Amino acid sequence: MINLDAILILVGCFVAMLLLRFPISITLAGSALVTIMYLDVPWVVVGQRMIQGMNSYSLLTIPFFILAGQIMSAGGMALRIVNFAQLFVGMVRGGLALVSCVACMFFGNISGSAVADVSSIGSVLIPAMKKKKYDADYAVAVTTSASIQGVVVPPSHNLVLYSIAAGGVSISSLFLAGIVPGILLLVTLMAVSYIIARKRGYEKGDPIQWKDVPKIIRDGVLSLLVGVIILGGILSGWFTATESGALACVYAFILTFFVYRDIPLSQMGLIFKRTFRTVAMVLFLIAASDAFGWMLAYLKIPTLVTDLFLNISDSPFVILLLINILLLLLGFPMDMAPMIMIMTPILLPVVTSIGVDPVHFGIMMILNCGIGLITPPVGTVLFVGCAIGKVSINQATKASIPFFLAMCVVLLLLTYIPQISLWLPGLFHGTP
């Protein structure tokens, strides 16, 4: 039997605590606790579910990926990636904008984080674009939009979060599934950047001296090997995702401190501190989400949502369109990680009931949530880009509209052409 009063209490507490600006982890755990009190279920259930939520070997992957990204970000890796990207597209009209797109793709393959992308690449390229007379709002818009590639391409820790929220979907399949959509997103954003750059008459990039090319290639390849270690180890079967992450940390440590020597070894303590802070927030969020998710399942909310969508239409085309609209709208007030942890257990039963592969839906979900990172009022990536470029949120939001629409087009292609996501997993694994 459906307990509507308990559902209203759960949803009401969640919305009220969000409006009161409680941290999202406290909001999730607190909403579950209040609802459990109403249902007269022992309070200890919340604690048990939170502990069980963190009792997963797959979770070890996240700290390693975050640590590897932090080590690489702390050094001069961003500038090396930018120089490497400039070899390919730097001499085209509006070349710095295209370099931003390619560099964010490369750096996303190292950090797996959109915020790390825009912080590292943006701090190099946004001032450089402004110096070359690019409009500041355009420089911010293209860099923040391009950084969303970091949440789709491996080794995105958001894909790991989805795997956990979805009940153990293969991480290697998700990593493979993100490659082609990431390339499609890159090509689309580059096309939009180029069209705008030509229309506004932006300059070409500075020529690169031939004597510098070998060093630029060497540094770029060495930097990108982090992603090769992670993907290669997983796909070859030599390592699990967790073991690949650990090896990537060792490689990043050696490259940063003993090959490039960009920063002193004494900085490692600060890197560990930033990593521990990030990991603690992520793990607490996962624990709180598990308690909230258990409450959703206990109240049969996923079943209600599935029935609601199926009552609206039995067409997969319509249902997927409605889900995309719902996720895009939720992306405005919600941050990415909680959105993944909350909405995956609710929507996954809906899409599986109409025959959508969980891996395919995972890429849809991640891109949807990623688009939310550049939309106010909770667009974390947008805020970081505006701080670097010294432009207002309104200016950057208006300048981002063409890129937002382009990403929505890519999202629709991914939604209705499943093989864009599933081709590589099927090629390597037989079935995704």
Side-chain angles (χ1 to χ4, degrees):
M1 182 178 176
I2 303 298
N3 191 330
L4 290 178
D5 290 340
I7 293 174
L8 289 174
I9 289 172
L10 180 68
V11 175
C13 285
F14 178 79
V15 172
M17 293 178 77
L18 276 183
L19 293 175
L20 292 172
R21 303 185 71 83
F22 278 81
I24 186 64
S25 301
I26 301 296
T27 299
L28 293 170
S31 302
L33 181 59
V34 170
T35 309
I36 278 178
M37 291 168 60
Y38 170 78
L39 294 170
D40 202 24
V41 175
W43 294 12
V44 71
V45 171
V46 173
Q48 290 173 339
R49 295 307 309 184
M50 292 180 72
I51 292 172
Q52 186 171 332
M54 292 187 292
N55 187 24
S56 170
Y57 177 76
S58 298
L59 278 178
L60 287 174
T61 309
I62 295 176
F64 287 131
F65 286 171
I66 292 175
L67 178 57
Q70 288 284 357
I71 294 172
M72 302 288 270
S73 298
M77 207 66 62
L79 182 57
R80 291 182 174 89
I81 293 293
V82 167
N83 290 336
F84 188 61
Q86 197 161 354
L87 288 177
F88 299 96
V89 293
M91 295 306 297
V92 180
R93 173 74 61 183
L96 284 179
L98 302 185
V99 168
S100 181
C101 294
V102 176
C104 283
M105 165 66 96
F106 287 160
F107 200 81
N109 190 244
I110 295 172
S111 68
S113 165
V115 174
D117 255 17
V118 74
S119 300
S120 301
I121 302 299
S123 62
V124 176
L125 279 176
I126 291 176
M129 282 190 268
K130 290 170 67 176
K131 187 176 179 180
K132 286 288 186 179
K133 308 301 182 185
Y134 287 60
D135 294 317
D137 57 351
Y138 171 80
V140 170
V142 70
T143 307
T144 53
S145 301
S147 69
I148 302 306
Q149 297 167 107
V151 307
V152 178
V153 297
S156 168
H157 61 264
N158 293 292
L159 289 171
V160 179
L161 285 180
Y162 170 79
S163 170
I164 295 166
V169 175
S170 168
I171 293 175
S172 62
S173 292
L174 288 169
F175 280 2
L176 283 169
I179 293 174
V180 176
I183 295 171
L184 177 60
L185 188 59
L186 170 65
V187 172
T188 305
L189 292 176
M190 286 179 68
V192 174
S193 302
Y194 179 71
I195 291 169
I196 297 175
R198 280 195 63 86
K199 183 178 178 181
R200 298 186 182 181
Y202 293 141
E203 298 179 16
K204 296 181 180 180
D206 294 326
I208 297 175
Q209 300 295 323
W210 280 105
K211 62 183 178 63
D212 296 330
V213 170
K215 184 178 185 300
I216 291 173
I217 294 175
R218 184 200 67 189
D219 289 348
V221 170
L222 286 176
S223 301
L224 294 176
L225 275 178
V226 175
V228 174
I229 289 173
I230 294 173
L231 273 180
I234 294 172
L235 297 182
S236 66
W238 293 349
F239 317 119
T240 63
T242 304
E243 291 164 348
S244 293
L247 283 173
C249 288
V250 174
Y251 177 81
F253 177 79
I254 294 172
L255 188 64
T256 300
F257 289 100
F258 297 102
V259 177
Y260 292 151
R261 300 181 182 180
D262 293 314
I263 53 176
L265 196 56
S266 59
Q267 290 291 310
M268 197 62 202
L270 183 59
I271 291 172
F272 275 131
K273 183 179 179 180
R274 288 199 297 261
T275 301
F276 291 155
R277 185 186 297 118
T278 303
V279 170
M281 290 189 295
V282 171
L283 292 183
F284 187 27
L285 172 63
I286 292 171
S289 298
D290 199 83
F292 190 82
W294 180 85
M295 198 72 255
L296 292 175
Y298 185 83
L299 296 175
K300 298 182 175 60
I301 291 177
T303 303
L304 285 175
V305 174
T306 301
D307 292 342
L308 174 63
F309 275 103
L310 293 178
N311 285 333
I312 293 173
S313 174
D314 58 0
S315 166
F317 183 94
V318 174
I319 292 175
L320 289 175
L321 180 62
L322 291 174
I323 288 175
N324 277 327
I325 293 172
L326 173 64
L327 291 174
L328 286 172
L329 291 175
L330 288 174
F332 286 89
M334 291 184 68
D335 207 353
M336 183 167 192
M339 191 167 157
I340 294 170
M341 301 304 295
I342 294 169
M343 297 308 298
T344 297
I346 294 176
L347 294 177
L348 189 59
V350 178
V351 296
T352 53
S353 70
I354 57 174
V356 175
D357 191 280
V359 173
H360 172 210
F361 178 65
I363 303 302
M364 280 176 53
M365 166 73 78
I366 294 300
L367 182 53
N368 259 302
C369 297
I371 293 172
L373 294 175
I374 62 166
T375 56
V378 190
T380 313
V381 169
L382 182 65
F383 293 157
V384 173
C386 288
I388 295 171
K390 297 180 174 57
V391 298
S392 70
I393 298 296
N394 286 340
Q395 287 176 301
T397 300
K398 289 178 182 177
S400 297
I401 290 174
F403 300 99
F404 175 85
L405 295 175
M407 286 190 281
C408 288
V409 170
V410 173
L411 175 62
L412 290 175
L413 291 174
L414 297 181
T415 300
Y416 296 116
I417 309 177
Q419 284 308 306
I420 295 175
S421 302
L422 299 181
W423 174 66
L424 271 181
L427 185 66
F428 279 87
H429 297 158
T431 56

